[in-house]
Amino acid sequence: MKTIGVKLFAAMIVLLSVFSVVQPADANAERVYVAPVKKEVERGLASFLERSIEEAEENDAEALILDINTPGGAVNAAEEIGEIMLDSQVDLIAYINPNALSAGSYIALYADEIYMSPSGKMGASAVITSAGGDADRKAQSAWLAAMINAAESSDKERDPIFAEAMVDQSIEIPGLVDEGELLTFTPATAEENGYSEGTFESLDELIASLGYEDAEIVSVEPTFTENLARFVTNPIVVPILLSMASLGLVLELYSPGFGIAGSLGLGALLLFFFGHLIAGLAGMEVLILFLIGVGLVIAEFFVPGGILGIAGLVAIVVSILLAGESIAFMGIALSVALLAAVIGMVIMVKFLGKNLHLLKKIILSDSTNTESGYVSNINRHELIGQTGITRTALRPSGTIIIENERIDAVSEGSYINKDQKVLVVKVEGSRIVVREVD
């Protein structure tokens, strides 16, 4: 038994020695990262691409392939992505599959190499306002310079005139684009003019042609929080969220306790700030300012005066304005939200008001009026026309006696001595007015 034990111990030592020397077979394998650039270009996409580049650099990737299919998006987000790509230490390869339009073309130009799918398109990069019209000359000029810088950033010596023609429709390039139109490259024209290094049917085909067929392909996908941040910071979603928040909180003011409307409104606001925090558009100072505003509004219920409530509302509005990409855009979104809240309230009161059993479920409609049997005091209208004797002098108020009942009364204005006969001429709530009788 001792011999067997010694042999087992020796075998374990040998195995441990082997495992300590032999490394995993794929430890030195090439890695190629692939990151999708899909949907609209916004600040959430910039955060995702920044993480993708950092992961590729940390794991010594041979290249990071950007699988691009975007109609464009926010100019400031695209410019931020361009700066991130410019500082990258890993080779960046753009695969346009199939669209890199507007801000998407700007992102593609910052890649070290550009490839396209057979149906690929790149260009049509003029700046469009949120209303759908052309931006002013100042914004167009700045974006034109940005596109030129992007074209010149690559070692491929891309002619910037084509980047200019994507933005400026006054530029004419014979045989390629006429005056009055924006340049949009097809795979063939892009390759002919040095804006593409080749056309491939699929991403796998591109990877094989680059010599990475044996490399480990690592797909970088947005996390749930990154997808949520991209959704929440979408320029279309922002006004909707703020409208839900304002409408829900306004409804809650008319509801007893704290119910569904208030929960939805508060949830929409929290989602708004969470998405903008994750996307990097807002910092903790903005969230703290918002919480301070909420605290001041709550304090207004316990400290009368109105100053705390006004200060709280100002703090909330300022925090929302500072949370977005630009104060101007957030101002428009906030105005839309307030307008939607007002319209929503009018519609609900107008249509649901005809069905009180529905309205009462969300709005407190009970009132303590006289018609419902509620009174703030007893109206002694039956005393009008009766006579009594002043128990005290009326200067002009005092006490009178009517049928052995002491009643507080007031004269019409003149002084009336004690023990004088008076006539009740008017009753105004608890105010009983009398006149001296000769």
Side-chain angles (χ1 to χ4, degrees):
M1 292 294 293
K2 181 183 285 187
T3 304
I4 295 175
V6 171
K7 289 181 178 180
L8 288 174
F9 180 75
M12 291 178 61
I13 295 296
V14 171
L15 288 173
L16 289 173
S17 301
V18 170
F19 283 124
S20 64
V21 173
V22 178
Q23 296 181 351
D26 61 347
N28 296 319
E30 293 181 328
R31 291 187 181 89
V32 174
Y33 277 64
V34 179
V37 181
K38 308 292 184 179
K39 301 180 180 178
E40 290 81 8
V41 176
E42 27 66 36
R43 186 59 184 77
L45 177 62
S47 299
F48 166 68
L49 290 181
E50 184 175 22
R51 178 175 67 84
S52 301
I53 292 175
E54 288 177 356
E55 286 188 15
E57 291 174 344
E58 291 172 358
N59 292 280
D60 298 323
E62 298 297 322
L64 171 61
I65 300 177
L66 303 179
D67 188 7
I68 301 177
N69 182 21
T70 175
V75 168
N76 51 0
E79 290 179 333
E80 184 174 352
I81 292 172
E83 293 177 3
I84 294 171
M85 295 174 66
L86 195 61
D87 295 334
S88 171
Q89 301 302 314
V90 65
D91 289 338
L92 298 176
I93 298 172
Y95 180 53
I96 300 175
N97 181 30
N99 296 319
L101 304 176
S102 191
S105 64
Y106 177 84
I107 294 173
L109 289 176
Y110 268 103
D112 298 299
E113 297 178 6
I114 299 176
Y115 297 91
M116 302 178 73
S117 66
S119 59
K121 297 182 289 294
M122 177 174 61
S125 306
V127 181
I128 304 298
T129 64
S130 57
D134 293 334
D136 57 35
R137 295 176 60 183
K138 182 178 180 180
Q140 291 282 10
S141 177
W143 180 239
L144 180 63
M147 286 289 291
I148 293 174
N149 290 337
E152 294 177 342
S153 66
S154 173
D155 295 333
K156 301 297 182 180
E157 298 181 354
R158 300 184 180 115
D159 191 343
I161 188 62
F162 300 108
E164 292 183 58
M166 293 180 184
V167 179
D168 190 351
Q169 58 186 1
S170 66
I171 296 177
E172 180 181 2
I173 302 177
L176 192 60
V177 61
D178 297 328
E179 184 178 354
E181 297 179 356
L182 295 174
L183 173 61
T184 300
F185 274 132
T186 63
T189 56
E191 194 168 351
E192 289 172 6
N193 293 283
Y195 270 60
S196 172
E197 279 66 61
T199 304
F200 296 93
E201 289 284 347
S202 65
L203 184 61
D204 292 336
E205 184 180 324
L206 170 62
I207 292 173
S209 71
L210 294 173
Y212 298 130
E213 61 271 12
D214 297 326
E216 177 187 357
I217 307 301
V218 181
S219 296
V220 185
E221 296 295 336
T223 63
F224 172 78
T225 54
E226 288 172 335
N227 279 326
L228 182 61
R230 290 194 64 181
F231 173 77
V232 171
T233 56
N234 188 291
I236 298 176
V237 176
V238 168
I240 296 176
L241 271 180
L242 293 178
S243 298
M244 290 176 58
S246 57
L247 183 58
L249 294 177
V250 168
L251 280 175
E252 188 60 35
L253 293 177
Y254 291 88
S255 305
F258 193 82
I260 297 177
S263 299
L264 289 176
L266 187 59
L269 274 180
L270 292 177
L271 191 60
F272 167 82
F273 280 103
F274 172 78
H276 284 73
L277 283 171
I278 297 298
L281 291 170
M284 288 302 298
E285 67 280 359
V286 174
L287 181 59
I288 292 173
L289 180 62
F290 170 75
L291 294 176
I292 291 174
V294 173
L296 290 174
V297 172
I298 294 175
E300 178 62 29
F301 290 100
F302 304 97
V303 182
I307 297 177
L308 293 180
I310 294 174
L313 291 175
V314 171
I316 292 174
V317 171
V318 171
S319 66
I320 292 175
L321 293 176
L322 295 178
E325 294 185 48
S326 68
I327 293 179
F329 170 75
M330 291 308 302
I332 295 173
L334 195 57
S335 300
V336 171
L338 295 176
L339 180 61
V342 173
I343 294 175
M345 285 297 302
V346 171
I347 292 175
M348 294 186 72
V349 171
K350 182 176 180 180
F351 290 98
L352 293 183
K354 300 177 181 179
N355 302 282
L356 293 178
H357 63 285
L358 295 176
L359 187 61
K360 288 179 180 179
K361 292 182 179 180
I362 57 174
I363 295 181
L364 182 62
S365 58
D366 294 334
S367 62
T368 56
N369 51 41
T370 305
E371 291 76 8
S372 301
Y374 295 92
V375 293
S376 59
N377 51 64
I378 299 175
N379 293 316
R380 302 292 301 275
H381 293 289
E382 75 278 2
L383 295 177
I384 297 177
Q386 295 191 29
T387 59
I389 302 298
T390 56
R391 181 69 179 82
T392 64
L394 302 185
R395 301 187 178 89
S397 61
T399 304
I400 64 174
I401 301 294
I402 297 179
E403 296 180 355
N404 299 321
E405 181 184 355
R406 293 172 59 92
I407 298 174
D408 293 327
V410 60
S411 71
E412 284 186 312
S414 60
Y415 174 83
I416 303 177
N417 288 319
K418 178 184 176 183
D419 298 327
Q420 298 297 313
K421 187 177 181 180
V422 291
L423 173 68
V424 178
V425 295
K426 188 186 301 181
V427 174
E428 299 173 338
S430 60
R431 186 170 179 266
I432 298 173
V433 182
V434 297
R435 178 188 303 156
E436 185 177 0
V437 178
D438 295 337

